Amino acid sequence: MSKIKIGAFGAIRGMTMIRQLIKSTEAELVAVCDKNETVLSACRKEAEDVGKTNITYYTDLDRFFEHDMDAVVLANYANEHAPYAVKFLRSGRHVMSECLTMSTMKEAVELIEAVEESGKIYSYAENYCYTPVRTEMKKIYESGVLGELMYAEGEYIHDCSPIWHGITYGERDHWRNLMPSTFYCTHSIGPILYMTGLRPVSVSAFETQNMPFMRELGTASGTFCTEMITLSNGALLKSAHFNLKSTRHSNYQLSCNNGCVQDLGDGRIAVYIEKPGENGKGETKTYDPEAVIAGTEQSGHGGGDFFTTYYFVRSILGDEEALKKTVNVYQAVDMCMPGTLGFKSLVGGNIPVKIPDLRNKSERDAYRNDTFCAFPDIAGEQYHHANLKGDTYIPDEVFERVKEMMKQ
C-alpha cells in the first residue's frame, strides 16, 4: 500500500506534527499551508534538512484544499477548526484537529454529522491524554480495581503571560484575547473523560476577575476558571485551567470507592488500593510508569504529542487498536462542551447548564442554531463579551505595547 498523503494547515503549532510526518514510514507529508511566509520557510528548511523536497507550500487555503491528499492536520487558530474540519470531511479527507474541536454548539452538531455522513476518520489531538502516567491511570481504572469513580480532578495550570506577546502578536481580535475563561478546557477535562469513558452531563463554571497581569497584555476575560462538572455516572469532576500562578503545571486524580490514582506531575504515579472489606487499610505505592513506546517520552507535552499523529495515521490504515485509542468526534465534543456551555453558566451567574449527549440525534435539533460565544464573527447576534466583571474595553496603547514587546 502506498503511503497516506497528508497535508498540514497551520505550521506553527502544526510543526510538531510536521516533524513527525516527514520522518514517517507510513505517511507522506505532501503540502503545508500557512499565511506566514517566514513560518513556511522554516518548515521548508526542516523538511529539506531530512531530504524531503517534494512538499508543496501554500499561503492560499483554496489552493491547498485542492491539493491531492488523503488527510489533513488542522493546526490553525483554535476557534476556527470546526468549519475547516467539516469542509475537508465532506471532500472525502480524514481529519485530525488540534485543540479545540469547536467554538459553538452549532459547530458541534455540524461536525458530528459531517463525520457520520463522510465515514472518514476524525481524530482529536488532545495530547494530554497520552502521557505515560495518564496512560497508566487509564489502564488501572479500566481494570476495575479502584471501583466506581466518585470524584476527579483535572488541572491545566499555564500562566501564559510571559509568552502572550509571542502568541497573540498584539492583535486585539486574536482568538486568545477574545476567548472566555472557560474556552480552552480540554487539557484539564479531556484526560479524565478519556481515562474513565464517562461523559459530562452538566456544568457550573466560576472565574476570577480579569487580573492586571493579563489585562495589560490585551485579554479581557476572567483570568482563571474552575468548572464543576457532573459526569454520566453521577461522579463529580473539578476542572481548573489557565492563567494561575502555581508551583505545578497539572494535576489529574481519580478517586473511587476502592481507591485512588493520581498523576503527581513529575512523571510519577501514586496509587492507593484498599483490600475488599477493609476500609481505610489500603496500600499506597508510587512509581514511574514505563513508556508506552520506548523513545517517545520526549516528544513534547509530557510524551503525549507523538501519539496524536501516530494513532491518527494508524487509524486510517485500519489498525483497530489505534482506533480505540484515538479520541473520536463524540469524545472530542464531550471534552469541549463544558467550555462552550460553561460560558453560558458564567453569563447566567454560575448556574448549572445541561450538557447534551450529541450521539443521540434527537438531542441535536435544540443546538443547530446555537452560536452563543465570545467570538463576534462566529456568534453573530448571539455574541457575548468575555469580560463579565469589569470594563470590556482595552485601550489601543496596550496592543501597541505588546507589539513592541515582540520586537525585543
Side-chain angles (χ1 to χ4, degrees):
M1 179 181 176
S2 60
K3 289 185 177 182
I4 301 164
K5 292 177 287 189
I6 300 181
F9 178 27
I12 296 180
R13 175 64 191 119
M15 187 61 78
T16 297
M17 298 81 165
I18 288 166
R19 286 177 179 141
Q20 189 167 338
L21 289 170
I22 60 180
K23 297 176 182 177
S24 175
T25 59
E26 298 176 316
E28 178 185 6
L29 182 68
V30 296
V32 179
C33 182
D34 198 287
K35 64 182 181 181
N36 190 318
E37 289 275 12
T38 302
V39 171
L40 285 180
S41 295
C43 180
R44 182 183 288 107
K45 184 179 185 307
E46 290 253 359
E48 291 177 351
D49 283 350
V50 294
K52 299 293 183 180
T53 59
N54 58 343
I55 301 169
T56 306
Y57 299 90
Y58 297 98
T59 55
D60 185 314
L61 179 60
D62 291 334
R63 291 180 61 205
F64 171 76
F65 181 81
E66 295 301 326
H67 196 100
D68 180 22
M69 65 182 87
D70 305 307
V72 66
V73 172
L74 297 178
N76 54 313
Y77 280 0
N79 64 330
E80 297 178 350
H81 289 162
Y84 293 114
V86 169
K87 183 175 181 177
F88 279 101
L89 287 162
R90 288 178 174 164
S91 72
R93 267 75 77 91
H94 306 285
V95 170
M96 181 171 83
S97 176
E98 249 292 321
C99 303
L100 270 77
T101 299
M102 83 284 182
S103 295
T104 69
M105 294 300 293
K106 178 178 186 290
E107 290 182 351
V109 172
E110 291 172 346
L111 177 62
I112 285 173
E113 293 184 342
V115 174
E116 291 174 343
E117 292 163 9
S118 70
K120 296 298 177 181
I121 300 293
Y122 176 91
S123 175
Y124 183 51
E126 182 38 78
N127 44 27
Y128 275 67
C129 294
Y130 298 117
T131 69
V133 171
R134 283 153 233 159
T135 299
E136 182 79 352
M137 291 175 71
K138 178 177 173 65
K139 179 181 176 182
I140 293 169
Y141 181 79
E142 290 179 338
S143 75
V145 68
L146 298 177
E148 182 78 5
L149 182 71
M150 298 171 56
Y151 172 76
E153 291 184 2
E155 292 183 353
Y156 170 65
I157 310 302
H158 190 179
D159 176 12
C160 288
S161 59
I163 62 171
W164 204 254
H165 61 284
I167 58 177
T168 63
Y169 322 119
E171 296 175 357
R172 177 183 290 276
D173 293 332
H174 193 281
W175 67 270
R176 292 180 185 272
N177 284 329
L178 297 176
M179 69 176 179
S181 63
T182 59
F183 180 66
Y184 206 84
C185 65
T186 71
H187 287 337
S188 55
I189 295 170
I192 302 299
L193 302 186
Y194 185 73
M195 290 181 227
T196 63
L198 299 170
R199 52 169 296 271
V201 298
S202 71
V203 58
S204 296
F206 307 85
E207 68 175 6
T208 67
Q209 301 177 59
N210 175 222
M211 303 303 287
F213 75 93
M214 288 305 300
R215 186 177 181 83
E216 290 168 2
L217 293 170
T219 182
S221 69
T223 297
F224 176 72
C225 173
T226 296
E227 295 165 312
M228 290 303 302
I229 300 165
T230 302
L231 301 178
S232 49
N233 73 332
L236 297 178
L237 162 59
K238 184 191 79 173
S239 166
H241 51 93
F242 243 91
N243 295 292
L244 187 70
K245 310 297 182 181
S246 178
T247 58
R248 67 186 183 192
H249 177 68
S250 61
N251 169 54
Y252 300 91
Q253 178 175 319
L254 305 177
S255 296
C256 307
N257 64 312
N258 290 334
C260 175
V261 60
Q262 185 174 13
D263 179 346
L264 296 178
D266 59 3
R268 296 179 302 149
I269 187 172
V271 185
Y272 169 74
I273 301 175
E274 293 184 345
K275 298 176 182 179
E278 296 189 13
N279 290 342
K281 298 181 180 180
E283 296 181 355
T284 300
K285 64 177 179 178
T286 301
Y287 61 95
D288 296 291
E290 295 182 1
V292 181
I293 297 177
T296 62
E297 304 94 318
Q298 305 303 317
S299 67
H301 288 92
D305 274 346
F306 171 84
F307 291 97
T308 57
T309 302
Y310 175 74
Y311 289 141
F312 179 51
V313 171
R314 293 299 306 165
S315 293
I316 295 171
L317 292 171
D319 183 333
E320 291 297 324
E321 200 60 34
L323 276 168
K324 291 177 185 177
K325 293 176 178 176
T326 292
V327 178
N328 65 38
V329 71
Y330 304 110
Q331 295 167 318
V333 166
D334 281 347
M335 292 175 184
C336 290
M337 284 192 293
T340 304
L341 295 173
F343 185 40
K344 286 191 175 184
S345 172
L346 288 179
V347 171
N350 316 115
I351 60 171
V353 175
K354 175 189 174 184
I355 300 175
D357 183 356
L358 294 182
R359 295 165 183 77
N360 298 331
K361 295 181 179 179
S362 61
E363 296 193 41
R364 297 176 189 172
D365 285 348
Y367 300 95
R368 287 190 185 279
N369 298 309
D370 187 341
T371 63
F372 181 86
C373 70
F375 305 110
D377 293 344
I378 297 172
E381 293 181 356
Q382 297 180 42
Y383 167 74
H384 198 293
H385 197 282
N387 189 345
L388 307 178
K389 297 183 178 180
D391 184 7
T392 61
Y393 182 74
I394 296 178
D396 290 341
E397 50 262 34
V398 169
F399 299 99
E400 294 304 316
R401 185 170 62 250
V402 173
K403 290 175 183 176
E404 287 300 315
M405 292 170 65
M406 290 184 62
K407 300 175 183 179
Q408 298 174 6

